[in-house]
Amino acid sequence: MQRQLANMKQSLFDQGYLDEQFIQLEELQDDANPNFVEEVVTLYYRDSARLIQNLEQALEKNPLDFGKLDSYMHQFKGSSSSIGAKRVKIECTQFREYCRTGNAEGCKKTFQQLKKEYATLKKKLEVYFQVARQAGPVEKACRPK
Amino acid sequence: MTVEKIRGGNENSDNFPVGLRVLAVDDDPICLKLLETLLRKCQYHVTTTSQARMALKMIRENKDRFDLVISDVHMPDMDGFKLLELVGLEMDLPVIMLSANSDPKLVMKGVTHGACDYLVKPVRIEELRNIWQHVIRRKKFDSRNQNRSAEQAKSYQASGEGHGSATTGNADQNGKFNRKRKDEEDESEDNGNESEDPATQKKPRVVWSIELHRKFVAAVNQLGIEKAVPKRILDLMNVEGLTRENKYRLYLKRISSVATQQANMVAALGVKDSPFMHIAPFEGLGDFRTLAGPGRLANAGLSPYATGGMLGRLNTPANVNLRNLTPSALLQPTHAQNITALGEMHPVLPPTNQNPSLFQGMPSSLELDQLQQNKCATGIVNFNAIDDSRMYTASNAFTDTGAAIGSSTSTVNGIPGNPLMLHENSQQTLSGGGGFGSHSSHNMTSFSLESLTAGVYGSSNLLDPGSAESCKMQPNAVLSTDPFHGQLPLNGVRENNFSNGSYLHNNPVDISSTTMALPFEDSREMQCQENSYIPANGTVSPLSRSLDQDSEIFNQKTGMFINSRVTGGASNLMQKNENEKLATESRARSSDNFLLEQPKSRGGFIPRNYDSLDAMMNAMIKREQDETIPNCDFGLDDYSFGAAM
């Protein structure tokens, strides 16, 4: 179980879904905060769902309000980087770049991409946490190579 | 505050930084939670809120509740920088900015608004482990500043006699205190203090003082000198933008009606100026102030204004000064212009220039009313280009305006040979404002040359531009009438010399009639820091001084002059009260010192920054030609100028 967990995590890192920040989160988890990581991630998904919705709505307007889009995305990026959602963060950066250049098509396309990454990560993390709960207290993960 | 204080005087005395009380503000719940956990991991006491307003409320409720604030930049209910400013100003708490955006422009903004540090998300625990250093550092600075300020204040007092009451509060931190106490004077002194030690405290203080100063001034202005209560001031400060406009107008109004209130004006001006100055975002007004200040920096010696990098500070003083001058005299209408002029200057001038801005502003103000407006602005602009450190340019600007008025203007600009100008100025002064103008401008340049004195004179001339015409030497007559001009006429000759301050001086109507002496002191104080400006009654003086100082400052050399001048000026000012003659004498002396070398600090007033004073003095001395001593003082009086008003 533990090993399975470790493998899962390793693969998440290898595939670039997660980065260093996630490790930081795990390090913060201790007896006082036994489920810290999961709590934070859950919080993230809840809060970012709101942002995603805002973005959706904003992207349907015509013409696009790049300033507002950029502002939402800035927030989204901040949260995502806080939990170590690497791929999501990359998409955010790309999106903001398109906003900066006023590329509406680019924005929309990137956003779709972003949503995909976001959903994928969510699923993977759900599984991860499930296994983690079964495996017992989460051991401090050894850093991915 | 000592380290113990940090701990809140309870547990953790031995375990610092454990128990550091941190307030975390971030609208993003994930980041906030993360931050909270990280901080707890460092064993700090954490309080979190996602609302900036709530954070402010918590801090205000109990100023001693937190040691440190960490705030996100991007927040919906209030801009992170605004929160930073408010906290810094009101509470003097170290604030760390946090953002997902690592754009250097934002970081810079954080610095200018007074942030101790800037962290980029996602935050790592290692970074948080070190934040306590900011708390300690600030406390150390504070106590050091306070000590220093106190000492400085004392010295100031001794020298400057009346400067402003011991500003003891170190410019920055103390500034706050002082301000509350003395409002104007304190500020000046504080600034002065700060200037003395800009190097050490530059960074923390600058931000503080500028803002504080600004706000302070603004607040004071709004409240009226008499009623300036710290609390109200603080409140006002929060409404800076509003006050600005109001102040300005109020200021102008005040100036015009000053005659009797010269002294007040000076004070107010100083104060007001600051606010005014402030108002214009650091850049605009601040620049002014800073002009005074920055110019100083370059000169190092000069410092009254800039003293040390306290650009911020100078700005305020400078601004203030400028304001004084301008508003009082002509500025009313021109004032606005001046400001703009000043503003113009700013962009051009980098911190050092800032001083010029002051001048510019000043001349603008002076001129504005009369003629100068155009000139000033231009003159000022010129300055900017010229100097980084040259305040002179600012002065030139002034002179330009003055030049317009008088014929000398031409001289002014080119003034490198200010000394000559001075002479001319004297003539010019007679010729009326125009002459002044020219001189002034000269002065400006001369400053750079060291001939500050010349420039000074020129500037003084300029100041008069408006008045110059009328006054030519009517120092007295003019003085009273035109705050600015009044001075010029009398001092016209002399004043021009000051050009820096001269512009300012102009208003001061020299002090001779007005309480010049007084203003001078005031101006000095107002000038803050360096400007030994002697809070000219007419406030003009201060301005002049600032100018002078600024210009002087630029020239390092001139700075010397300034110093000497300042002292001279200071002394003059002082004398002024008694007689303008005395002032002139001192001025003459100062001018000598000034011109020649440097600041001998004649009056020993303001050893520091008096430069401007000196310049003024020199100018004045030169002016002596006019003998309207009042004028001479003018330079010095510029400060007092306000009084003259």
Side-chain angles (χ1 to χ4, degrees):
Chain A
M1 254 303 139
Q2 298 277 7
R3 198 142 56 94
Q4 188 185 357
L5 192 68
N7 285 342
M8 277 186 71
K9 193 187 331 194
Q10 188 59 50
S11 92
L12 280 174
F13 277 105
D14 290 341
Q15 291 169 23
Y17 283 105
L18 294 175
D19 62 19
E20 264 285 323
Q21 184 62 20
F22 194 79
I23 310 239
Q24 290 264 329
L25 291 184
E26 291 198 319
E27 284 185 350
L28 286 177
Q29 188 157 294
D30 54 17
D31 292 339
N33 277 322
N35 296 317
F36 179 67
V37 187
E38 191 174 353
E39 280 168 19
V40 173
V41 172
T42 309
L43 190 58
Y44 167 72
Y45 276 106
R46 196 158 10 112
D47 186 68
S48 54
R50 180 180 55 86
L51 279 173
I52 298 251
Q53 208 178 13
N54 288 344
L55 280 162
E56 294 261 17
Q57 287 173 356
L59 278 171
E60 273 161 26
K61 295 221 167 90
N62 203 358
L64 292 185
D65 181 352
F66 288 111
K68 200 187 273 189
L69 284 173
D70 186 75
S71 167
Y72 285 141
M73 193 47 77
H74 174 84
Q75 263 186 287
F76 190 73
K77 182 179 173 196
S79 316
S80 305
S81 61
S82 290
I83 67 157
K86 193 160 157 193
R87 283 206 188 174
V88 176
K89 191 165 76 157
I90 292 176
E91 297 298 334
C92 289
T93 309
Q94 181 65 60
F95 184 94
R96 293 189 78 197
E97 187 54 31
Y98 282 132
C99 278
R100 199 178 62 80
T101 57
N103 185 339
E105 267 315 299
C107 281
K108 294 188 182 157
K109 216 160 47 113
T110 307
F111 186 65
Q112 296 307 319
Q113 187 75 10
L114 185 150
K115 278 199 294 185
K116 249 196 339 182
E117 293 292 347
Y118 176 82
T120 309
L121 181 64
K122 183 169 182 191
K123 267 205 298 269
K124 289 194 185 266
L125 281 177
E126 271 172 12
V127 176
Y128 176 80
F129 285 126
Q130 243 176 5
V131 175
R133 258 177 270 128
Q134 290 169 14
V138 178
E139 60 197 62
K140 288 294 167 129
C142 26
R143 300 198 173 246
K145 311 182 254 311
Chain B
M1 298 189 258
T2 58
V3 174
E4 287 89 56
K5 247 199 170 201
I6 296 178
R7 296 202 246 163
N10 54 5
E11 0 80 37
N12 307 333
S13 297
D14 320 315
N15 227 349
F16 190 78
V18 171
L20 192 68
R21 296 159 305 160
V22 185
L23 173 63
V25 189
D26 192 337
D27 65 316
D28 184 343
I30 291 102
C31 298
L32 195 58
K33 183 164 174 75
L34 179 62
L35 195 56
E36 182 183 12
T37 312
L38 284 171
L39 291 168
R40 291 246 159 79
K41 203 68 173 197
C42 298
Q43 292 180 286
Y44 299 151
H45 284 314
V46 189
T47 311
T48 62
T49 173
S50 61
Q51 302 271 335
R53 307 226 170 259
M54 171 63 81
L56 260 183
K57 182 155 156 308
M58 285 199 277
I59 298 179
R60 281 180 179 151
E61 264 169 14
N62 182 357
K63 306 245 161 121
D64 215 19
R65 191 169 157 199
F66 300 109
D67 299 314
L68 179 66
V69 179
I70 300 186
S71 165
D72 185 36
V73 164
H74 199 93
M75 289 192 289
D77 63 333
M78 186 193 292
D79 181 33
F81 293 117
K82 181 100 195 318
L83 177 65
L84 159 65
E85 262 187 46
L86 292 174
V87 172
L89 277 168
E90 288 184 29
M91 271 46 97
D92 189 25
L93 274 181
V95 180
I96 294 182
M97 301 308 294
L98 192 59
S99 176
N101 199 334
S102 63
D103 185 2
K105 291 207 225 52
L106 283 186
V107 180
M108 186 62 195
K109 199 168 172 201
V111 170
T112 55
H113 284 72
C116 301
D117 205 352
Y118 190 105
L119 301 177
V120 180
K121 292 186 198 170
V123 178
R124 293 193 316 279
I125 195 163
E126 298 82 34
E127 295 174 342
L128 290 177
R129 284 203 195 280
N130 285 335
I131 59 179
W132 58 268
Q133 62 177 295
H134 301 297
V135 182
I136 296 278
R137 191 181 297 129
R138 191 168 274 236
K139 305 227 184 230
K140 279 221 157 74
F141 270 155
D142 277 351
S143 42
R144 187 145 32 105
N145 277 344
Q146 286 180 352
N147 291 340
R148 211 152 12 112
S149 306
E151 293 175 357
Q152 290 187 355
K154 294 210 192 116
S155 57
Y156 273 140
Q157 296 190 336
S159 57
E161 30 180 273
H163 277 302
S165 53
T167 43
T168 60
N170 290 321
D172 288 335
Q173 325 269 353
N174 297 323
K176 260 213 307 201
F177 288 116
N178 291 330
R179 282 221 272 207
K180 306 228 175 129
R181 288 197 301 191
K182 286 214 52 172
D183 291 350
E184 296 152 6
E185 293 201 329
D186 286 333
E187 287 215 298
S188 312
E189 289 212 325
D190 278 341
N191 291 326
N193 288 336
E194 292 198 315
S195 34
E196 282 194 354
D197 197 7
T200 55
Q201 316 225 346
K202 255 203 269 214
K203 297 234 178 98
R205 293 215 298 202
V206 173
V207 175
W208 186 252
S209 45
I210 301 183
E211 299 207 36
L212 276 182
H213 189 88
R214 256 196 313 156
K215 296 208 174 179
F216 191 81
V217 177
V220 173
N221 286 334
Q222 291 240 310
L223 296 175
I225 310 215
E226 276 71 335
K227 306 208 189 82
V229 176
K231 191 156 197 218
R232 300 276 305 271
I233 297 192
L234 278 185
D235 288 345
L236 280 182
M237 304 214 287
N238 288 341
V239 205
E240 254 186 289
L242 281 184
T243 53
R244 240 200 312 193
E245 310 291 353
N246 296 341
K247 277 212 277 236
Y248 207 70
R249 275 184 248 125
L250 290 178
Y251 189 75
L252 291 178
K253 251 197 293 182
R254 276 227 263 188
I255 302 195
S256 42
S257 57
V258 169
T260 52
Q261 299 175 343
Q262 292 176 351
N264 294 337
M265 296 210 31
V266 173
L269 288 180
V271 172
K272 287 213 271 199
D273 282 344
S274 315
F276 283 118
M277 304 285 247
H278 292 294
I279 309 184
F282 278 88
E283 308 172 349
L285 294 177
D287 290 333
F288 263 164
R289 296 190 301 179
T290 50
L291 286 182
R296 307 302 172 109
L297 298 179
N299 291 317
L302 303 183
S303 57
Y305 286 113
T307 53
M310 305 277 299
L311 300 182
R313 282 207 289 211
L314 289 181
N315 290 330
T316 40
N319 294 329
V320 170
N321 295 318
L322 290 180
R323 295 305 177 117
N324 293 324
L325 293 180
T326 52
S328 46
L330 313 174
L331 306 185
Q332 302 259 334
T334 55
H335 205 33
Q337 299 195 336
N338 290 328
I339 305 201
T340 53
L342 293 176
E344 297 176 349
M345 300 259 322
H346 293 308
V348 177
L349 302 172
T352 51
N353 291 329
Q354 303 214 337
N355 293 325
S357 314
L358 288 175
F359 287 142
Q360 293 189 340
M362 302 218 341
S364 329
S365 37
L366 297 176
E367 308 254 312
L368 296 182
D369 286 355
Q370 314 263 328
L371 306 174
Q372 292 123 15
Q373 299 196 340
N374 301 322
K375 295 307 181 88
C376 295
T378 53
I380 308 182
V381 175
N382 294 328
F383 279 104
N384 294 326
I386 302 180
D387 68 20
D388 294 330
S389 52
R390 298 332 168 137
M391 302 252 322
Y392 303 3
T393 47
S395 26
N396 287 320
F398 292 126
T399 51
D400 282 328
T401 44
I405 309 186
S407 46
S408 346
T409 51
S410 55
T411 49
V412 171
N413 297 312
I415 316 206
N418 293 327
L420 296 182
M421 311 276 318
L422 294 176
H423 296 295
E424 295 185 353
N425 293 328
S426 45
Q427 298 182 0
Q428 304 214 337
T429 51
L430 298 178
S431 51
F436 294 116
S438 342
H439 282 301
S440 317
S441 44
H442 293 301
N443 294 327
M444 307 293 270
T445 52
S446 37
F447 283 107
S448 38
L449 296 184
E450 297 196 354
S451 16
L452 290 181
T453 51
V456 170
Y457 295 115
S459 35
S460 11
N461 292 328
L462 290 181
L463 294 179
D464 275 317
S467 49
E469 302 179 328
S470 53
C471 358
K472 300 303 182 78
M473 293 288 300
Q474 317 220 348
N476 298 313
V478 177
L479 297 177
S480 46
T481 56
D482 298 61
F484 249 21
H485 298 307
Q487 298 212 320
L488 293 180
L490 291 182
N491 300 317
V493 174
R494 293 212 266 203
E495 306 186 342
N496 292 330
N497 295 322
F498 282 102
S499 40
N500 303 319
S502 350
Y503 283 105
L504 300 178
H505 301 299
N506 292 323
N507 299 322
V509 187
D510 297 348
I511 334 196
S512 47
S513 51
T514 51
T515 49
M516 307 271 286
L518 300 183
F520 201 63
E521 296 188 348
D522 291 337
S523 43
R524 269 202 304 193
E525 305 211 326
M526 305 223 313
Q527 300 275 336
C528 43
Q529 318 165 9
E530 313 198 324
N531 304 312
S532 39
Y533 280 104
I534 309 199
N537 306 314
T539 58
V540 171
S541 309
L543 289 177
S544 325
R545 304 269 322 213
S546 352
L547 290 178
D548 287 342
Q549 300 207 341
D550 292 332
S551 25
E552 296 188 344
I553 308 185
F554 289 119
N555 291 319
Q556 304 250 338
K557 302 191 214 178
T558 41
M560 311 255 298
F561 281 118
I562 304 187
N563 292 323
S564 43
R565 288 207 297 198
V566 167
T567 51
S571 30
N572 290 332
L573 290 181
M574 312 232 332
Q575 310 242 345
K576 286 188 127 196
N577 294 321
E578 325 190 337
N579 350 295
E580 301 183 334
K581 301 174 194 177
L582 293 184
T584 41
E585 293 180 355
S586 32
R587 283 199 289 223
R589 284 185 290 200
S590 19
S591 344
D592 292 346
N593 298 330
F594 199 63
L595 297 176
L596 304 183
E597 34 259 34
Q598 299 42 47
K600 288 295 211 75
S601 51
R602 299 183 238 234
F605 288 118
I606 322 193
R608 303 212 315 193
N609 298 315
Y610 293 161
D611 292 328
S612 338
L613 263 181
D614 284 332
M616 298 205 341
M617 303 241 344
N618 292 321
M620 308 236 343
I621 301 197
K622 298 221 178 173
R623 302 280 208 105
E624 293 231 339
Q625 307 174 357
D626 292 316
E627 76 283 328
T628 36
I629 307 191
N631 294 331
C632 292
D633 292 326
F634 193 70
L636 297 177
D637 294 340
D638 286 331
Y639 302 122
S640 43
F641 195 61
M645 307 196 311

